[in-house]
Amino acid sequence: IDSTSVWYWLYGLLLPLVVMVVGGLLERKKLGGFVTYGHALKSTFIIYAIWSILYVISYDIIVLNVIDPNYMERNREFLVSKKGYFYRLGMEMRGADENEIAVRMDEGRELHEQKVSERIELNKSIPWKFFKIISALLMGIPFSLFAALFVRKNPKLIPKED
């Protein structure tokens, strides 16, 4: 597991879920200790929406454009070599000889380097950032459905005395 996937799981998935549940529980406490599933769902989704927007602003805009604008360029070689390693491994498993592997690796490297360059440029565009926010919000729906299960608490029905 590389450090990028660990940060993604912590910062992108686990931490927002914890913040949603804690925020929802605080909202429930503020409302007197009881909240319906619908209200819990709305509260946790709003928390996730704010988290998603802050994530895109902090990572995509501030980190990649202000703090470390050459991050993607520095990782170009890593991205290309990682793809090349698996491509070579696949050709070796199919029994290709070393000359064929060398020719195909050069062709594949050029093609993959072009794709990485396109991805770097796409990542810099404003429409891509809006797309990331929208897709994060869509991902927030199942997160909110799950978090609201921990937040909801309906009052117990107390029989009326005559």
Side-chain angles (χ1 to χ4, degrees), residues 90-138:
M91 287 191 297
E92 287 174 352
M93 289 173 66
R94 286 192 303 265
D97 67 0
E98 199 58 42
N99 289 334
E100 182 183 356
I101 291 174
V103 169
R104 298 275 179 136
M105 288 292 292
D106 288 340
E107 293 170 355
R109 181 179 181 82
E110 290 173 17
L111 179 63
H112 190 64
E113 197 161 317
Q114 178 185 354
K115 287 181 180 181
V116 169
S117 296
E118 291 169 1
R119 177 62 188 233
I120 289 170
E121 288 306 311
L122 177 65
N123 203 39
K124 292 178 183 177
S125 72
I126 299 297
W128 181 252
K129 297 193 187 328
F130 283 117
F131 173 76
K132 287 179 86 170
I133 290 172
I134 301 285
S135 61
L137 291 175
L138 290 174

Side-chain angles (χ1 to χ4, degrees), residues 26-89:
L26 290 172
E27 174 76 6
R28 182 176 83 185
K29 184 177 179 181
K30 186 176 87 172
L31 295 173
F34 299 103
V35 68
T36 64
Y37 183 78
H39 188 86
L41 179 63
K42 183 174 62 173
S43 298
T44 56
F45 184 77
I46 289 170
I47 292 168
Y48 190 85
I50 292 168
W51 182 276
S52 298
I53 291 167
L54 290 176
Y55 177 81
V56 170
I57 289 170
S58 67
Y59 181 74
D60 279 13
I61 297 174
I62 295 172
V63 172
L64 294 181
N65 292 319
V66 177
I67 295 174
D68 194 0
N70 295 321
Y71 173 80
M72 294 295 280
E73 290 294 334
R74 277 198 334 273
N75 287 301
R76 173 193 304 269
E77 184 60 33
F78 170 74
L79 294 170
V80 170
S81 65
K82 186 175 181 181
K83 174 80 171 186
Y85 169 77
F86 290 110
Y87 187 63
R88 178 182 185 82
L89 189 62

